[in-house]
Amino acid sequence: MSNLQLRVISAVVLAVVTLGLTWLGGLPFRLLCAAMTILIFYEWTRMCRPVAATGLGLLPEALLLVFVGALVAGLPASWLLLLVAVMVVVTVVVASMRQPSMRQAGQWDASGLAYAGISGLSLALLRDGDHSGLVAILFLFAVVWATDIAAYFVGRAVGGPKLAPSISPGKTQSGALGGAVGGVVAGLLLAAAAGAGNLAVLGVVALVLSLVSQAGDLFESWVKRRHNRKDSGTLIPGHGGVMDRVDGLVAAAFALYVIGWISATADHSAQGLFPA
């Protein structure tokens, strides 16, 4: 079986499973987010730890398990964010007490806890259990997936100057622009199909999410290049690791959550970005 066939089969399976659990919402979706959180941290530490142990023992893993338990239990956003902050602070403080050669590894572990934790909670809190949460997460998927697909095909067809050659040599400026256009179009189509009325606002939101997702992709590429890795892992046939598939998604999910929170805070009478 060719690599392209593996990529297509893996992508279809992942999409079906993800959309199915997204439709169910609630506990099934939180379990998906918990699994993703664990796998992201696992791949992060496999990339960033210079040796098998960090000098911190199993402290980072223990902290992550506490967070995952809270995520699955459905704790409020304020508690989950507080847990992420506590995980990071505790890991940094303990790492600072170790010998200098272990401190940088501990700092990477702290960064990984923040990245994995925020990734999991953003998706879980966006979906929640109501109809507006379902529309919000589907809007997110539409924008991010369309951005990836359009960027790939436009970049290959048009080519031109590189976007960030020192970080990701394969990405082009034409691909980034094509991805942004594709993301906005897909987001607006999804919003219109869901009956959202504020399409102009959602068009701007889709553009922001597309740009953030591409920035998230570049960030993960920087981390891999920083540690001389081509892929974050080998879990997904033809695609690499989990981080390779969700780097842009989790960045955009956090951005959408923040945008939604700001919107709700600014106007308490508003019904939100998406129809209830």
Side-chain angles (χ1 to χ4, degrees), residues 99-263:
Q99 53 185 301
S101 61
M102 295 295 181
R103 289 175 187 169
Q104 187 175 21
Q107 291 168 357
W108 278 106
D109 273 6
S111 301
L113 287 170
Y115 184 77
I118 290 175
S119 298
L121 73 85
S122 297
L123 286 168
L125 294 174
L126 270 177
R127 174 60 184 95
D128 203 6
D130 54 15
H131 178 72
S132 61
L134 175 61
V135 176
I137 206 78
L138 292 178
F139 177 82
L140 174 72
F141 289 162
V143 172
V144 174
W145 292 349
T147 295
D148 286 345
I149 294 169
Y152 176 78
F153 285 106
V154 172
R156 285 179 64 90
V158 178
K162 301 298 183 181
L163 179 64
S166 63
I167 298 175
S168 184
K171 291 180 173 60
T172 61
Q173 294 177 19
S174 63
L177 179 59
V181 172
V184 171
V185 171
L188 287 176
L189 288 174
L190 188 286
N198 48 347
L199 293 182
V201 173
L202 288 175
V204 175
V205 172
L207 177 60
V208 171
L209 296 183
S210 180
L211 296 176
V212 170
S213 72
Q214 295 187 62
D217 193 344
L218 286 174
F219 170 72
E220 199 236 353
S221 295
W222 174 80
V223 173
K224 289 189 293 187
R225 183 166 289 270
R226 175 71 172 74
H227 296 282
N228 299 313
R229 296 295 186 95
K230 182 180 182 296
D231 297 313
S232 65
T234 58
L235 181 64
I236 306 174
H239 289 270
V242 173
M243 283 179 62
D244 295 320
R245 291 299 88 209
V246 303
D247 46 11
L249 178 67
V250 295
F254 182 64
L256 183 56
Y257 178 75
V258 171
I259 291 170
W261 178 81
I262 292 174
S263 175

Side-chain angles (χ1 to χ4, degrees), residues 67 70-71 73-83 121 125 257:
F67 171 81
L71 181 66
L75 263 63
S78 57
W79 283 100
L80 293 175
L81 289 168
L82 178 61
L83 272 175
L121 73 85
L125 294 174
Y257 178 75

